[in-house]
Amino acid sequence: MESKYMIIFVLSCLLAACAGKQTKHNEMQNTRHIDTIWAKYCDGLHNEPHFLKQDASYQDGKKVLKKGQKAIGLTSDIVKETDRLIMAWLERNDKLSSTNSRVLNNYFKQYLCYKEKGQVFVFVNLYAYRTTIYANEENVTHTFAENPNTTVINPKKGTDTNYMILLVNLTQKTVLMPF
């Protein structure tokens, strides 16, 4: 008779242990979610450009500005001219044939204006979306960068239809892909 109770007790313990693990797993699953925000769906207030600081870096820690490059302030005229040159470049670029990639409003933007050897350049990073991971109610992780004014949000450090790093030479009115 005691063995009968012992078996029931052991089975109850195993059942409770399994249920507990499943509950903890479900709790972890329920408290973690990812939000992807696409620039093309944001209104003007949530799609304002970010102006990178002179000490801005890529996610790997490498600085954007190199020796001999000095950051200068961005004006609204510089931003307008930069955007105009980029739009014209996107229209001519065969590699980025997606119609979505040709609309500058479909990107979040980061700018850094600098001078080098008497010429004015604007480093421009365009990214179609940003991702935020919520681990629980208190922890938030910005997957690509916590501060868009100091970190370039481009995990590929390159160019495709969702991420573009461009270098606009305002002195010569040209757009280059540096990578």
Side-chain angles (χ1 to χ4, degrees):
M1 183 108 163
E2 281 183 35
S3 63
K4 187 180 194 183
Y5 290 114
M6 184 61 103
I7 291 173
I8 292 173
F9 177 74
V10 170
L11 288 175
S12 298
C13 288
L14 286 173
L15 185 61
C18 289
K21 283 184 182 178
Q22 185 64 36
T23 302
K24 281 193 181 271
H25 177 72
N26 287 344
E27 285 174 10
M28 289 178 68
Q29 289 284 344
N30 291 336
T31 60
R32 182 177 185 267
H33 71 277
I34 299 172
D35 283 341
T36 300
I37 301 167
W38 289 84
K40 64 183 172 183
Y41 300 122
C42 288
D43 58 19
L45 295 173
H46 296 98
N47 199 355
E48 290 295 316
H50 295 284
F51 302 112
L52 291 165
K53 296 181 179 182
Q54 66 184 13
D55 63 342
S57 62
Y58 297 98
Q59 290 171 296
D60 63 5
K62 185 178 176 184
K63 297 291 184 191
V64 174
L65 293 182
K66 296 166 183 56
K67 191 174 183 176
Q69 299 174 336
K70 181 173 173 35
I72 58 175
L74 271 163
T75 64
S76 61
D77 288 339
I78 288 175
V79 172
K80 284 178 190 173
E81 179 65 5
T82 298
D83 287 352
R84 186 188 70 73
L85 290 168
I86 290 172
M87 283 299 297
W89 180 83
L90 286 171
E91 289 296 323
R92 292 188 310 268
N93 193 321
D94 291 336
K95 285 169 103 176
L96 303 169
S97 59
S98 166
T99 54
N100 285 340
S101 69
R102 294 187 179 154
V103 180
L104 203 52
N105 290 337
N106 287 346
Y107 294 97
F108 295 107
K109 301 164 207 70
Q110 292 176 298
Y111 299 95
L112 177 60
C113 189
Y114 66 92
K115 223 174 198 181
E116 180 181 23
K117 297 180 183 176
Q119 295 193 51
V120 177
F121 295 90
V122 181
F123 170 91
V124 180
N125 182 49
L126 303 174
Y127 53 107
Y129 62 89
R130 61 179 178 231
T131 304
T132 305
I133 296 174
Y134 298 91
N136 58 40
E137 293 299 321
E138 297 172 7
N139 295 333
V140 175
T141 304
H142 300 277
T143 305
F144 296 132
E146 287 186 28
N147 187 341
N149 294 320
T150 60
T151 305
V152 176
I153 301 173
N154 191 319
K156 298 181 182 196
K157 198 176 172 189
T159 299
D160 69 12
T161 56
N162 288 325
Y163 300 98
M164 284 188 253
I165 292 179
L166 303 172
L167 186 60
V168 178
N169 184 327
L170 288 178
T171 306
Q172 296 181 4
K173 308 286 188 215
T174 58
V175 177
L176 304 168
M177 291 171 42
F179 299 102

